[in-house]
Amino acid sequence: MKCMHIIHGSLSHMVRDLCMFAGFNEDSQIVWFKITYSKEPGSLSVITDLLEKENAFIKFGHIDNITQTTGEYSIFTELKKDVDMANLAQKIGELEVVNAVEFGISEFGMIYSVDFPLNVIGVRGVMARALAIVDIIKTLNQSVPHAEGLLTLSGLRGGSHAAKYFKSIMPINDSNFASMIAELYRAVGWGILEIECDPKTYEGRIIVKDSFIADVYGASDQPVCAFMSGYFAGYLTEYFGKNISVREVSCKATGKEVCEHVISLAPSRENQEYQLRGDTR
């Protein structure tokens, strides 16, 4: 049975600096919708088609998998102030593919997390400026011995967690393991991936376009995306069940067009995480 929750939300002045401004227009308003839907072919198209017909301009969207059959679509739209929001929410809720709808209005025209805490691939996530994350990486590189090993180890664990979560909610195989991490990177704003990896030899390469680390880091004599190398290695190690090594051989921060990471099988006699820990001693 379908249900529809109508929630009118607003933001306090205390969190204004933590959110993304969508701009201010006296004739329009920023309205968010959280739509739980059945994951069937064309489900999202049905929802977006209705919003387009209702002249709802989508400014930002986030899709999360709840189960193998159910998804959650959180979107921020710009609508005229004279739109009957309850009526529009009801129209969305009456779509056959929709299970539930919630909506709210941003008082100050900002885009923020519909759910709090925000959930990203199974655990709590936060929205942060890339500069804040890169400043942490820079501080480590400038102040901590063997910082590259620490960043790689951190990425290794993150990539492993991501692969474990994906395996828990959907089938992963040789035909989709690469496209899944590429979609994840694009969704969270980390970069655009081109992946070539032979599942038999465990060799290949990953091209990262618009890497958020390299783009923000600035000029460097050395590659700066060790965290990403580790993330790829952790993801692939968890998927293949083999210790996979990933090394950045070309970085945009050094003046190259894109970042390039080489994939290879790590020596079987060594545990990859232990090896990295040894580098940080």
Side-chain angles (χ1 to χ4, degrees), residues 72-91:
E72 190 174 270
Y73 187 26
S74 299
I75 51 175
F76 287 82
T77 64
E78 185 174 0
L79 287 160
K80 295 292 185 180
K81 286 188 174 180
D82 58 0
V83 172
D84 185 337
M85 293 308 308
N87 181 57
L88 177 54
Q90 184 174 346
K91 288 182 180 179

Side-chain angles (χ1 to χ4, degrees), residues 61 179-194 209-210:
S179 59
M180 287 180 69
I181 191 171
E183 187 170 333
L184 168 63
Y185 260 61
R186 182 185 287 267
V188 297
W190 283 10
I192 300 173
L193 305 186
E194 294 179 3
K209 298 178 181 178
D210 300 318

Side-chain angles (χ1 to χ4, degrees), residues 96-108:
E96 187 175 350
V97 298
V98 173
N99 301 325
V101 181
E102 298 179 13
F103 80 91
I105 300 171
S106 172
E107 181 180 347
F108 301 109

